[in-house]
Amino acid sequence: MGPLVSVVIPAFNAGRYLESAVQSALAQTLTAIEVIIVDDGSTDDTLVVAMRLQAGDARVRVDRLARNAGPAAARNRALELARGRWLAVLDSDDVMIASRLEMLTAAGTRVDADIVADNLLVFGDGQADVFLDRATPPGWITAVDYLRRTAIYGDGPNLGYLKPLIRVDRLRAADIGYDERLRIAEDDDLIVRALLADLRYWFEPTPGYGYRRHAGSTSHRLSLANAEAMLAAGERHEAAGVGRAAEIRAALARRRRAFRKARAFAALVQALKDRRLAAAAGIAVADPAAVVLLHMPIRAARDRFLARFRPDRPRQPPPPAPATAAALAALRPFGVDA
């Protein structure tokens, strides 16, 4: 019998964290898995680490792209190779609790879901917290739910950060893959298209995925090019929603407007960095909402400046909530120390 889950790990210059990610997959209580590492043209020791891990466990398979093509291309290559019923994307700097895949495949089978996600434990910089309130009940995430809760710079946690398992056969039947024009938010884009194709999404509130927060994370890099690609994707989603229910069309339109604001914000920040003050003023006049978002980089710069004058004392964060503490304890064997 083939694997039940294909754990796919796109890896670009991931030598520092890759072994922890892979070991957390190999330690799953569900053993019927394969781990597919796709090296996305790394220039560090990622491939060396990957090949060593492959030599140590027959469930690990390594593939390599000839050049760096981005996470969507690496995910698509892994999707081509996947033999499992479920696809589980694990970022190369993240980890999983040992019972995660067993829990999610059981839940997905029980409710006949095409997509099933759990809560995140966000950790890093000596801190950790559960992403969504543990009181969030299990249940279906509809297309409208997802679209409303993934508008960029919106209120509340963005569901696009969740890392769901997806039925491989349902993706292939709907002819859905990752959009290689996107360098960030490629997971979110795929989920939107899957929901518009009527795939069904179930959520389990137990935190099972460890999301590492650090300065090198690609999900935090909103360059102008990335913002323009996300806006173009939002426009494609809106076009695909023509003829759908009114509330879906309205939610798609809201997301597209949010992407447009993010694009204006990225252009404003770039103009200010380049000292093109006339261009920055023109953007601010054309889209005043972009100016409001400047509070984010200003606050970050303020915090960095003030940190230089604080006494160098070890921080004593408050004790974590029980759910957070339990998730942290389960992830400590894989180098998580928060």
Side-chain angles (χ1 to χ4, degrees):
M1 292 181 63
L4 180 60
V5 179
S6 296
V7 180
V8 304
I9 305 179
F12 174 66
N13 289 350
R16 179 180 178 186
Y17 297 118
L18 180 59
E19 183 163 3
S20 293
V22 173
Q23 293 300 346
S24 78
L26 297 176
Q28 292 293 301
T29 55
L30 177 69
T31 58
I33 68 168
E34 63 178 353
V35 179
I36 303 172
I37 305 169
V38 178
D39 176 29
D40 185 18
S42 297
T43 57
D44 68 351
D45 62 345
T46 293
L47 186 60
V48 173
V49 174
M51 297 302 293
R52 174 167 52 78
L53 292 165
Q54 178 179 249
D57 195 305
R59 294 174 295 171
V60 178
R61 303 164 62 197
V62 177
D63 197 79
R64 188 167 196 259
L65 301 183
R67 59 178 180 81
N68 176 246
R75 282 160 163 73
N76 277 336
R77 178 58 180 155
L79 182 56
E80 291 173 7
L81 298 172
R83 299 174 298 181
R85 185 181 186 195
W86 294 91
L87 184 81
V89 173
L90 174 62
D91 285 346
S92 58
D93 51 357
D94 294 340
V95 289
M96 297 188 292
I97 287 172
S99 59
R100 179 180 190 247
L101 297 183
E102 184 175 10
M103 174 188 71
L104 289 181
T105 55
T109 301
R110 184 182 70 249
V111 301
D112 191 25
D114 306 307
I115 307 167
V116 57
D118 53 355
N119 211 337
L120 304 176
L121 178 74
V122 182
F123 67 92
D125 300 325
Q127 301 178 25
D129 202 2
V130 173
F131 184 63
L132 296 177
D133 190 329
R134 187 64 184 270
T136 305
W140 294 105
I141 298 175
T142 68
V144 172
D145 294 333
Y146 188 85
L147 293 168
R148 286 175 175 168
R149 298 181 65 183
T150 53
I152 190 169
Y153 302 133
D155 296 328
N158 188 316
L159 297 185
Y161 282 97
L162 299 182
K163 291 291 184 180
L165 271 62
I166 310 173
R167 282 279 301 271
V168 173
D169 59 341
R170 307 279 168 84
L171 276 181
R172 289 172 176 164
D175 194 25
I176 294 173
Y178 290 91
D179 188 336
E180 297 183 15
R181 291 168 289 191
L182 294 168
R183 285 275 177 163
I184 65 172
E186 67 286 341
D187 291 317
D188 168 71
D189 171 77
L190 180 136
I191 295 298
V192 169
R193 288 183 287 120
L195 290 170
L196 292 176
D198 297 322
L199 273 67
R200 304 192 328 146
Y201 191 159
W202 180 263
F203 173 74
E204 286 287 329
T206 301
Y209 187 99
Y211 178 95
R212 190 186 304 269
R213 178 177 49 210
H214 61 93
S217 176
T218 58
S219 59
H220 295 105
R221 299 175 188 167
L222 187 64
S223 67
L224 179 55
N226 286 337
E228 289 175 338
M230 292 166 69
L231 173 58
E235 291 171 345
R236 290 192 292 272
H237 298 157
E238 192 171 14
V242 171
R244 301 300 298 266
E247 58 180 352
I248 290 179
R249 297 199 309 272
L252 286 166
R254 275 194 299 271
R255 261 182 52 115
R256 188 254 307 150
R257 289 194 296 271
F259 284 139
R260 182 163 292 171
K261 180 171 71 172
R263 190 262 177 215
F265 169 61
L268 176 60
V269 170
Q270 188 62 56
L272 291 172
K273 284 182 177 178
D274 296 342
R275 301 183 184 278
R276 293 182 290 112
L277 299 186
I283 295 167
V285 170
D287 199 334
V291 180
V292 176
L293 295 177
L294 282 175
H295 75 86
M296 295 184 295
I298 291 171
R299 183 172 58 195
R302 179 205 64 192
D303 291 346
R304 288 193 299 269
F305 176 78
L306 293 177
R308 295 164 56 189
F309 300 97
R310 294 190 190 116
D312 188 16
R313 298 190 197 122
R315 289 184 299 173
Q316 296 295 328
T324 303
L328 269 174
L331 290 174
R332 283 206 171 93
F334 312 112
V336 174
D337 186 14

